[in-house]
Amino acid sequence: MTRESSAGRAPPSTKAIPFRKILIANRGEIVCRVARTLRELGIASVAVYHHVEMNARHVRIADEAIEITGETPVAAHLDGKQIVEAALAVGADAIHPGYGFLSENAGFAKMVADAGLAFIGPSADVIALMGDKISARDFARRHGVPVAPSVVPAADLAGFAAEAEKIGFPLVIKATAGGGGKGMSVVRSAAGLDEAARIAASEAKRYFGDGRIYAEVYVERPRHIEVQILGDGEGNVVHLLERECSVQRRFQKIIEEAPAANLPFGLRDAVCQAAVQLAAAAKYKNAGTVEFILGADGRFFFLEMNTRLQVEHPVTEMITGFDLVRAQIEIAAGLGLPFAQDQVAARGSAIECRICAENPERDFMPETGTIQYLGVPEAPFLRFESALDAGQKITADFDPMLAKLVVHGADRNEAIERAIVALGELAILGVRTNADYLARVLDHPALRSGALHTGFVLEHSPSLAAGEPDAATLDKVLIAAALGFREFRDQVFDVPEPYASMGRWRN
Amino acid sequence: MAFKLTVDGRAHEIEIVRRRPHLVVSIDGRDHEVTVAGGFEEGRQAMEVAGLVVHFVRAPCGDRQIIRLGGRNFETGLIDPRSEVAGVGGDQDHVKAPMPGAVVSIHKSVGEAVKRGETLVTIESMKLQMALAAPRDGRVAEFLRGEGEKVEKDEAIVRLETVVREG
């Protein structure tokens, strides 16, 4: 039996996957993404949904869907026990957790395994090790992976501020159990430290149920470089090169690319090797991402390891030609690594843009609304990953990320050009998004030259603002709008002769 | 005949100058001949202004229309002359939620004097906490929403009053 790879370049595997049905414990675009690979593999997909998302695309595209309940939609998606019961009820063999929600919850991974199901992810122990930032850093340090200096674990908040001050400013406060920028802030002077620590601890408590925070030296103008790895759980690890995710707002990535632009000679190998070293030491099983910050001086430090599929995994798939979801499933099925390191090579360049319901002109505040019209660009070099529908209400119930627009080009310049054109063609009307802002970011000379760092958006904010539309554009908008209003159109087209032929007149 | 339209909240006038053989409109003294008016419906459209094709996307949204043109979205409305009212100036008395969410904590109490820029409340929306500051010096007159309560976008949470010096 042979199967076609979705990416088209992976050598067809001849090993049979023992799974017949997999429940995807997530929502939105990532469910659609995972289900696509499952369909190619001939495995049935099962979606879960809270009743507010009953008609959502991720529910419609799955082969089966099962309702989960909770006080809020998010609470339902975080209810591991209920989801495991759902998986057992529909006769699933395995659970794919996607990203976010339960994907890095060690308790959930254990619950899945205890129920006799395969968890498409690492063991609960490894999730716990990497999920706690302090234990992850200690582990990295012990295994020769460079770690940023000056960590101060905090027992209580008052003691924390005093201790943190000793490492100097600027420093960054992070949640021990954190991720995704929650409970994280940069503090530049002692004056703001108390309040920043209080907010960080309370955010950490609310989102992770764990209010512990720590501080470390803040590397100025750092780049965010991460390495995609696959491990088989026996200590064998391959990397699929790096991604750069330096373009961020509120500590969350909005543009990611692979490979990273202008990496100094030898650095790519060093970073990828450090990632492999860490994953091999942990006997890591699954797809995973080792994140680093890279200073202007070429030094890089371990940031964290994400023990799941990453939002931005498509850029790696586009340059390597491998299907990471398929690789995850094959590894979880005990089939080992699907390819060897020497089969991994970069072809061209890929860029992902995260389309979010937010207002870049108002500090990226989340926006809500109803999608009145959805027009999606299509091209062979493009993936539009979403679960959007026209008529869909965008509420504050879930994360503001609506979709991912991913393009491939023969080189970085072509990928940038293609992304800008595609963002222009994308039409999401009815809820404000950052799509046009992302096009301006990609068109910025500093981005084109590869002068990236995590403060890019802040540094260039004046030149990234939309500005006023010119009069010619405004006139066209007025004409287009006027012709869409019945009152105006009636006055133009439903006026009988001889009035219609009359010249300028006023009422 | 002239119509008043708003584009992103700003009013503009568009006047029908001629209907035949082609529509000619005037906007701020600039005349434009619409050689092809294009479709009325929602979705991707093309019109021809002075012989040049203009692509745009249209979506009706209640009594408004969203127009995407030149890589940008515009919210447009038609002002009914019968209901036109004067605009209202900036509100310095109310601290409003910039996004829908919930009040997480209140940092001041009623009657307390506050300086411009001081944090009054912290709200949370879509996993994001945000401190809302006083827009001016004054005194807290009342909290319209309490800790844990939900707020809609642009809903007032705090009302400020002016401190009147006695004596």
Side-chain angles (χ1 to χ4, degrees):
Chain A
M1 188 181 84
T2 58
R3 294 181 305 262
E4 285 295 313
S5 151
S6 70
R9 295 204 317 146
S13 165
T14 53
K15 293 175 282 191
I17 294 171
F19 304 140
R20 298 268 231 350
K21 190 186 276 190
I22 295 180
L23 181 141
I24 309 162
N26 216 292
R27 64 177 304 279
E29 70 89 14
I30 193 60
V31 177
C32 299
R33 161 71 191 92
V34 173
R36 201 164 64 223
T37 289
L38 294 183
R39 190 158 302 134
E40 287 171 6
L41 296 175
I43 300 170
S45 56
V46 183
V48 290
Y49 65 97
H50 182 268
H51 76 87
V52 300
E53 42 181 4
M54 192 162 59
N55 299 314
R57 179 176 291 268
H58 82 262
V59 179
R60 300 199 310 269
I61 58 100
D63 295 314
E64 270 179 72
I66 185 161
E67 185 174 347
I68 49 175
T69 57
E71 262 192 46
T72 62
V74 168
H77 282 282
L78 288 173
D79 187 343
K81 186 165 173 284
Q82 194 182 171
I83 289 169
V84 170
E85 281 164 6
L88 292 171
V90 296
D93 311 295
I95 292 182
H96 191 298
Y99 54 73
F101 293 118
L102 295 164
S103 61
E104 291 177 290
N105 184 315
F108 179 66
K110 184 172 185 308
M111 213 185 294
V112 173
D114 289 350
L117 302 171
F119 179 69
I120 300 176
S123 70
D125 291 348
V126 172
I127 295 176
L129 169 71
M130 295 303 175
D132 184 296
K133 289 198 175 183
I134 291 174
S135 68
R137 291 166 56 100
D138 288 345
F139 185 85
R141 189 185 292 115
R142 279 206 310 279
H143 291 91
V145 175
V147 170
S150 307
V151 179
V152 184
D156 67 281
L157 222 53
F160 171 74
E163 284 297 305
E165 213 173 322
K166 289 182 194 159
I167 57 176
F169 297 96
L171 56 83
V172 58
I173 298 178
K174 298 181 184 178
T176 304
K182 303 292 183 306
M184 184 164 159
S185 68
V186 176
V187 183
R188 296 195 175 273
S189 71
L193 189 56
D194 279 346
E195 180 65 0
R198 196 190 59 75
I199 289 183
S202 96
E203 274 193 25
K205 178 81 185 141
R206 294 171 64 81
Y207 295 114
F208 313 112
D210 178 349
R212 288 178 302 146
I213 52 175
Y214 69 97
E216 69 182 19
V217 163
Y218 182 64
V219 178
E220 296 276 9
R221 294 180 73 87
R223 291 171 69 177
H224 177 115
I225 304 288
E226 61 184 33
V227 180
Q228 176 70 55
I229 59 97
L230 290 173
D232 67 355
E234 308 289 330
N236 302 306
V237 175
V238 292
H239 70 78
L240 288 91
L241 302 161
E242 83 288 358
R243 294 184 285 258
E244 169 142 28
C245 315
S246 298
V247 182
Q248 307 181 352
R249 56 103 184 85
R250 297 186 177 285
F251 297 109
Q252 287 182 328
K253 305 157 184 174
I254 48 175
I255 292 176
E256 300 104 330
E257 55 182 302
N262 317 328
L263 275 194
F265 183 76
L267 194 61
R268 166 170 300 136
D269 282 348
V271 173
C272 290
Q273 276 320 308
V276 168
Q277 204 171 313
L278 181 78
K283 287 202 165 39
Y284 186 81
K285 180 180 181 183
N286 186 32
T289 296
V290 185
E291 299 189 336
F292 298 95
I293 50 169
L294 170 63
D297 56 3
R299 285 195 306 166
F300 62 91
F301 302 115
F302 171 72
L303 202 56
E304 62 179 27
M305 179 169 189
N306 294 321
T307 55
R308 53 166 164 87
L309 190 67
Q310 206 91 338
V311 174
E312 60 273 25
H313 75 275
V315 292
T316 297
E317 294 185 323
M318 277 186 157
I319 64 159
T320 62
F322 292 113
D323 180 337
L324 286 171
V325 173
R326 176 174 162 176
Q328 284 187 293
I329 292 166
E330 291 182 349
I331 290 168
L335 304 182
L337 295 177
F339 45 81
Q341 189 65 61
D342 61 12
Q343 290 176 272
V344 178
R347 184 179 59 96
S349 189
I351 293 178
E352 173 179 279
C353 304
R354 295 195 193 189
I355 315 295
C356 302
E358 64 186 24
N359 186 352
E361 310 297 320
R362 276 179 79 181
D363 203 21
F364 306 97
M365 282 296 138
E367 290 274 333
T368 56
T370 300
I371 297 179
Q372 304 290 347
Y373 178 81
L374 176 66
V376 172
E378 283 177 37
F381 52 78
L382 180 154
R383 280 166 65 171
F384 185 75
E385 302 277 358
S386 93
L388 293 180
D389 289 305
Q392 186 180 336
K393 278 198 170 64
I394 305 303
T395 66
D397 284 341
F398 296 109
D399 191 87
M401 192 182 86
L402 300 179
K404 309 183 308 204
L405 178 69
V406 200
V407 300
H408 183 264
D411 56 27
R412 188 169 183 266
N413 286 334
E414 188 177 66
I416 290 171
E417 289 304 333
R418 285 175 165 179
I420 292 171
V421 170
L423 286 167
E425 286 173 11
L426 174 64
I428 300 177
L429 274 53
V431 60
R432 194 188 295 265
T433 76
N434 63 345
D436 299 331
Y437 174 81
L438 294 173
R440 295 196 295 276
V441 172
L442 286 170
D443 201 21
H444 198 282
L447 184 130
R448 285 178 179 272
S449 72
L452 300 176
H453 62 103
T454 56
F456 183 92
V457 157
L458 217 57
E459 183 191 15
H460 299 292
S461 61
S463 52
L464 290 171
E468 290 296 312
D470 56 40
T473 302
L474 210 52
D475 286 2
K476 287 175 200 158
V477 170
L478 281 162
I479 296 167
L483 286 165
F485 286 116
R486 179 168 299 283
E487 295 88 335
F488 182 91
R489 211 171 165 100
D490 286 352
Q491 281 298 323
V492 174
F493 299 107
D494 289 347
V495 175
E497 292 292 347
Y499 305 104
S501 297
M502 284 183 176
R504 190 183 290 254
W505 56 280
R506 292 186 178 275
N507 55 351
Chain B
M1 168 147 209
F3 287 81
K4 259 191 189 162
L5 265 66
T6 57
V7 177
D8 291 336
R10 226 174 271 178
H12 300 269
E13 209 169 72
I14 178 166
E15 186 185 1
I16 300 171
V17 174
R18 208 168 61 226
R19 295 178 173 78
R20 305 277 191 276
H22 298 296
L23 169 67
V24 175
V25 295
S26 175
I27 301 164
D28 295 335
R30 295 181 294 274
D31 282 8
H32 299 282
E33 186 174 23
V34 184
T35 37
V36 177
F40 190 19
E41 313 78 28
E42 72 159 26
R44 294 196 192 271
Q45 301 291 349
M47 62 179 181
E48 222 179 88
V49 180
L52 295 174
V53 178
V54 178
H55 292 277
F56 66 97
V57 189
R58 182 203 313 284
C61 179
D63 57 354
R64 332 201 115 239
Q65 260 185 104
I66 301 151
I67 302 288
R68 176 165 181 74
L69 195 153
R72 201 163 163 157
N73 291 5
F74 298 89
E75 193 177 307
T76 66
L78 180 67
I79 300 177
D80 183 341
R82 286 162 302 186
S83 66
E84 200 179 336
V85 287
V88 186
D91 182 356
Q92 295 271 297
D93 286 344
H94 290 94
V95 177
K96 294 175 180 173
M99 53 193 181
V103 177
V104 178
S105 53
I106 288 178
H107 306 284
K108 299 286 172 191
S109 41
V110 173
E112 202 174 336
V114 293
K115 290 269 172 220
R116 192 171 84 90
E118 264 192 277
T119 300
L120 303 179
V121 292
T122 302
I123 66 161
E124 181 182 298
S125 173
M126 293 196 192
K127 309 184 200 169
L128 189 83
Q129 285 200 8
M130 192 197 176
L132 300 184
R136 63 170 175 88
D137 293 356
R139 187 160 56 198
V140 176
E142 64 176 322
F143 288 99
L144 302 157
R145 285 283 171 265
E147 285 184 8
E149 285 192 82
K150 281 196 169 182
V151 288
E152 295 299 321
K153 185 180 172 185
D154 293 327
E155 188 178 336
I157 302 170
V158 190
R159 186 166 67 81
L160 295 179
E161 60 189 8
T162 304
V163 180
V164 181
R165 287 180 190 281
E166 288 175 28

